[in-house]
Amino acid sequence: MPRFSLNVILIITLCTGTATAQKGFITRSGHQFSLNNKPYYYIGTNYWYGGLLALQKNGKERLKKELDFLKSQGVNNLRILVGTEGKGLVNGVERVKPAFQFEQGKFNMEILGGLDFLLYEMGKRKMYAVLFLSNNWEWSGGFLQYLNWNGVITDSVMRSKLNWDDLRENTSKFYSCGPCQKDYENQLRLVLNHVNEYTKHKYIDEPSIMAWELANEPRPMLTTAVDKYKQWTSSVAKLIKSIDRNHLVTLGTEGIMGTDESADLFKEIHQPKEVDYLTIHIWPKNWGWFKDTSIAASLPVLISKTQQYIRQHEEIASELNKPLVVEEFGLPRDNHSFDPASSSYSRDKMYDAVFAEWARSRKQGGVIAGCSFWAFAGTARPVPGQIFWKEGDDLMGDPPQEEQGLNSVFDSDNITWKIIRTYTIN
């Protein structure tokens, strides 16, 4: 093998579109992920609260038990929330607590200690994390909190229940708020350079991390914010890559539904070389794909629209020569029940349809590289007679502002897990 200088190797890497990293990291080569020189395709789950479990009473034991369970089902990739901002009601609802950045520029480092433990335990099980750094939505503080700290929106507006138009108008201001973005970047830098107390690795050198995600579902929200939105997503991706050469970067978008229903905008924001892969989310309830509470009557249409949505984005990913991950998809239980013992027939059919798209791509060596259902609730259970989360309750897949049990998959959902195993255990 000829000897090349480091500069020559770097030029070759840039020309081939291959993301490099140390051995044991997940990388990208064209339209595929790679792990130890082999294509990496995965079925994962959203475990947004995983970094908080170690801080709860008996939480470390619960965490290890749930990781063992997921591993036994062949689920080895977890999407996890890192950045939580502020405290108190926001948009009229509770938010995730305790917060990482509890006041502007003040951080509770115990939160990263909990994430340290999670990543340490995941590493022992050869599991990988996708970490999202903030949120377009209010349930973890997110962009609204940065706007509030910098005087763009008042305390009363922050706490009040906003209608959809007001929420869009307020959130869109984040992309033109320089001080807000600076606060976000300060949090980002702190996280990336943090040293894991268990592994002794800086997060930028942590093999159990697969990717950094700018935020959960960042949207321009208004057409007037599109240009600033494009500038922000591109600049933050570049910033992360300038700090961390080992890990992948993605934006965290819902797809065309989150980019003013513009396929061109979705494609454009994923074009920069610093953005390693594309993501989509699929939410039939939120998008009005069914009306009946039973869901079952609308199931054929719902599944057809799900397949069409995936394939539409598959084409865009192929054009960009980058992987695509279906990183959120969910559905309530039949009859909108929150009871873990109730039927999940319709949800299971939707899951099977999404996994089948992934399996087709995997067999063909295609661009659909991963899919992560929303969301894993593990051993937690809703409190009988109580709809929403209260402080002291077990954390589960449904964030505080949503009905507990709405989209959660529990460890007791045996039929769902049987379907998952047909794709993961082979």
Side-chain angles (χ1 to χ4, degrees):
M1 176 180 177
R3 297 178 65 182
F4 296 106
S5 70
L6 289 177
N7 287 338
V8 172
I9 292 172
L10 178 59
I11 291 171
I12 293 171
T13 298
L14 292 176
C15 290
T16 58
T18 300
T20 59
Q22 300 174 25
K23 185 178 181 181
F25 288 78
I26 295 173
T27 60
R28 177 180 71 86
S29 180
H31 72 277
Q32 288 184 316
F33 296 133
S34 180
L35 177 60
N36 298 328
N37 298 316
K38 296 180 180 180
Y40 176 71
Y41 289 82
Y42 69 88
I43 286 179
T45 189
N46 283 266
Y47 196 43
W48 64 264
Y49 57 92
L52 299 173
L53 284 182
L55 308 180
Q56 296 191 322
K57 183 179 180 181
N58 301 319
K60 289 184 177 179
E61 289 72 21
R62 175 187 168 186
L63 174 61
K64 290 189 285 187
K65 180 179 179 179
E66 291 182 349
L67 291 181
D68 285 341
F69 176 84
L70 289 169
K71 184 74 177 180
S72 73
Q73 306 300 308
V75 175
N76 297 313
N77 194 293
L78 309 178
R79 182 168 175 259
I80 298 155
L81 170 63
V82 180
T84 51
E85 300 90 0
K87 52 191 175 183
L89 292 181
V90 56
N91 196 17
V93 300
E94 291 283 354
R95 71 178 93 183
V96 173
K97 58 180 74 170
F100 174 43
Q101 188 172 181
F102 58 95
E103 293 180 13
Q104 187 176 19
K106 296 181 180 180
F107 298 89
N108 178 2
M109 297 306 290
E110 287 186 356
I111 301 297
L112 291 188
L115 184 58
D116 288 348
F117 184 78
L118 170 62
L119 293 172
Y120 170 62
E121 291 294 332
M122 288 178 65
K124 291 196 294 185
R125 293 164 176 81
K126 296 183 179 180
M127 303 173 83
Y128 294 90
V130 174
L131 302 177
F132 58 102
L133 293 162
S134 191
N135 203 340
N136 183 78
W137 308 113
E138 68 277 8
W139 56 270
S140 61
F143 296 167
L144 284 180
Q145 184 60 71
Y146 288 120
L147 289 161
N148 174 247
W149 278 334
N150 288 285
V152 180
I153 60 174
T154 65
D155 289 345
S156 60
V157 169
M158 180 78 173
R159 289 191 297 268
S160 63
K161 184 64 178 174
L162 302 172
N163 62 40
W164 177 237
D165 288 340
D166 287 341
L167 180 63
R168 291 171 63 213
E169 181 179 353
N170 281 293
T171 308
S172 70
K173 295 174 182 177
F174 174 80
Y175 302 107
S176 57
C177 177
C180 300
Q181 294 173 21
K182 186 65 177 177
D183 285 343
Y184 168 94
E185 290 177 11
N186 289 339
Q187 178 168 283
L188 179 155
R189 291 177 186 274
L190 178 61
V191 172
L192 267 62
N193 287 297
H194 174 71
V195 177
N196 188 315
E197 64 178 288
Y198 298 94
T199 68
K200 308 306 179 186
H201 292 142
K202 273 189 174 184
Y203 276 6
I204 60 174
D205 298 318
E206 185 66 75
S208 58
I209 296 173
M210 169 180 158
W212 299 108
E213 192 167 277
L214 271 57
N216 177 53
E217 301 186 341
R219 290 183 172 204
M221 301 299 272
L222 293 176
T223 303
T224 53
V226 164
D227 288 342
K228 294 289 187 181
Y229 169 76
K230 291 190 294 187
Q231 292 172 17
W232 182 77
T233 56
S234 176
S235 65
V236 175
K238 289 179 181 177
L239 174 62
I240 296 173
K241 286 292 190 179
S242 73
I243 300 170
D244 185 347
R245 301 285 304 210
N246 288 318
H247 295 111
L248 304 174
V249 172
T250 192
L251 306 182
T253 65
E254 301 153 88
I256 293 169
M257 290 294 291
T259 51
D260 283 349
E261 299 191 31
S262 168
D264 289 339
L265 178 56
F266 177 77
K267 182 177 179 179
E268 185 177 355
I269 60 176
H270 289 92
Q271 190 98 43
K273 66 180 186 299
E274 293 85 3
V275 180
D276 289 297
Y277 65 97
L278 296 68
T279 64
I280 60 171
H281 299 178
I282 305 174
W283 287 108
K285 178 185 176 183
N286 297 352
W287 299 348
W289 287 1
F290 66 89
K291 303 293 184 182
D292 57 302
T293 56
S294 71
I295 306 175
S298 302
L299 191 57
V301 172
L302 186 159
I303 289 177
S304 176
K305 288 187 174 183
T306 294
Q307 292 167 332
Q308 291 172 18
Y309 196 70
I310 293 172
R311 292 171 189 177
Q312 183 179 17
H313 293 85
E314 182 181 18
E315 290 183 10
I316 297 172
S318 296
E319 292 174 17
L320 294 178
N321 194 33
K322 293 182 180 183
L324 171 69
V325 174
V326 188
E327 70 166 16
E328 279 190 23
F329 54 98
L331 200 64
R333 307 176 86 88
D334 295 339
N335 300 311
H336 267 259
S337 175
F338 309 136
D339 182 357
S342 63
S343 169
S344 59
Y345 173 83
S346 296
R347 175 195 293 171
D348 293 335
K349 290 295 183 182
M350 179 200 181
Y351 275 26
D352 192 40
V354 174
F355 296 148
E357 294 295 308
W358 169 83
R360 169 182 58 80
S361 176
R362 181 187 182 188
K363 184 177 181 180
Q364 298 170 349
V367 298
I368 305 174
C371 53
S372 295
F373 60 88
W374 184 284
F376 181 56
T379 59
R381 297 291 186 270
V383 177
Q386 177 184 309
I387 296 176
F388 293 102
W389 183 86
K390 293 181 180 179
E391 192 165 3
D393 293 347
D394 286 340
L395 293 167
M396 64 177 65
D398 307 294
Q401 93 287 1
E402 291 186 339
E403 301 92 336
Q404 299 297 280
L406 176 65
N407 295 302
S408 281
V409 176
F410 302 94
D411 61 352
S412 58
D413 281 318
N414 295 326
I415 296 175
T416 306
W417 292 111
K418 183 178 180 180
I419 292 170
I420 292 170
R421 287 194 303 271
T422 63
Y423 291 96
T424 60
I425 307 299
N426 49 42

